[in-house]
């Protein structure tokens, strides 16, 4: 999982699309994974309250950004 578009990043992006933060967890970035998951939960609750539970789309929006974040991740050179 060292370069953009690698198989590992594609798998991580797919995981993050369904559960925000799961792809980051697969990549070994625990704090980032927790941050994305908490952000998705907060976004879900906010949009659920604002739309009176008609269309809580906050989770979907955050999952798309989480997916992109997992897909473009490059492991830092050390």
């Amino acid at each position: 999982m060292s370069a953009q578009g690698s198989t590992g990043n594609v798998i991580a992006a797919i995981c993050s699309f369904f559960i925000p933060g799961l792809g980051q967890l697969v990549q070994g970035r625990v704090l980032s994974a927790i941050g994305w998951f908490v952000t998705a939960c907060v976004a879900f609750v906010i949009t659920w309250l604002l739309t009176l539970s008609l269309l809580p789309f906050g989770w979907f929006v955050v999952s798309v950004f989480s997916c992109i974040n997992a897909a473009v991740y490059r492991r830092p050179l050390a």
Side-chain angles (χ1 to χ4, degrees):
M1 286 190 277
S2 60
Q4 284 180 273
S6 68
T7 305
N9 281 6
V10 172
I11 291 170
I14 292 169
C15 291
S16 280
F17 183 74
F18 293 106
I19 300 174
L22 184 59
Q24 285 78 4
L25 192 61
V26 167
Q27 292 172 330
R29 302 186 294 153
V30 177
L31 291 178
S32 181
I34 292 169
W36 280 110
F37 185 75
V38 168
T39 302
C41 291
V42 169
F44 176 84
V45 168
I46 289 172
T47 56
W48 184 77
L49 290 172
L50 289 176
T51 62
L52 301 174
S53 75
L54 295 175
L55 185 62
F57 56 89
W59 182 278
F60 175 74
V61 171
V62 173
S63 69
V64 168
F65 285 113
S66 175
C67 177
I68 293 168
N69 179 265
V72 299
Y73 175 71
R74 286 190 176 188
R75 186 167 296 216
L77 299 173

